[in-house]
Amino acid sequence: MSNTIKNQICDEEEVHKARVKSALGNMPSEENIAELSERFKALSEASRLKILFALSGGELCVEHITEAVNGLQSAVSHQLKTLRLNKIVKCRREGKKVLYSVSDDHVITMINVAKEHLNCDE
């Protein structure tokens, strides 16, 4: 494409070239992009989001997660497995019960920011 045609399309060529260079420099690897995509898929299911909001107050056993999300224990267990496999929640055994918690504070920050974004008008 000639410079004449480029200039007709974009009148901020230098600024945009700098932004493209920055984007390319900050772009995660293809492997990391694929992993991020899988984690976002795991977060995109409504019952899993409810589980994460329930766990945002601290660790809970499956029985109390089920109560908090008003779900069925088998369904909650299935969703917890998906969240665990995607490293979004973790679990620990305490006697006969298994306690679940959010893997790290970044997860809670992400879902809270997304929740706040629901109220944005722009």
Side-chain angles (χ1 to χ4, degrees), residues 8 10 14 24 27 34 39 42 44 47 52 56 64 68 72 87 89 100 102 114:
Q8 290 174 356
C10 182
E14 293 305 314
L24 290 171
M27 190 70 62
R39 289 189 187 181
S44 69
S47 61
L52 292 172
S56 68
H64 290 113
L72 300 173
K87 302 175 185 173
V89 299
Y100 289 86
V102 176

Side-chain angles (χ1 to χ4, degrees), residues 51-93:
I51 289 169
L52 292 172
F53 279 112
L55 291 174
S56 68
E59 69 181 6
L60 292 170
C61 63
V62 175
E63 177 186 351
H64 290 113
I65 296 169
T66 301
E67 182 180 337
V69 302
N70 197 28
L72 300 173
Q73 186 168 341
S74 60
V76 168
S77 293
H78 176 74
Q79 300 302 351
L80 283 166
K81 179 180 178 184
T82 299
L83 291 168
R84 195 175 73 253
L85 290 173
N86 281 281
K87 302 175 185 173
I88 297 168
V89 299
K90 59 186 177 182
C91 63
R92 69 179 183 87
R93 186 169 292 280

Side-chain angles (χ1 to χ4, degrees), residues 15-44:
V15 171
H16 289 179
K17 280 191 177 278
R19 289 179 184 163
V20 167
K21 183 178 180 180
S22 176
L24 290 171
N26 292 317
M27 190 70 62
S29 69
E30 290 298 321
E31 182 180 306
N32 285 346
I33 289 288
E35 188 174 340
L36 281 168
S37 176
E38 288 303 312
R39 289 189 187 181
F40 274 109
K41 284 180 194 175
L43 291 171
S44 69

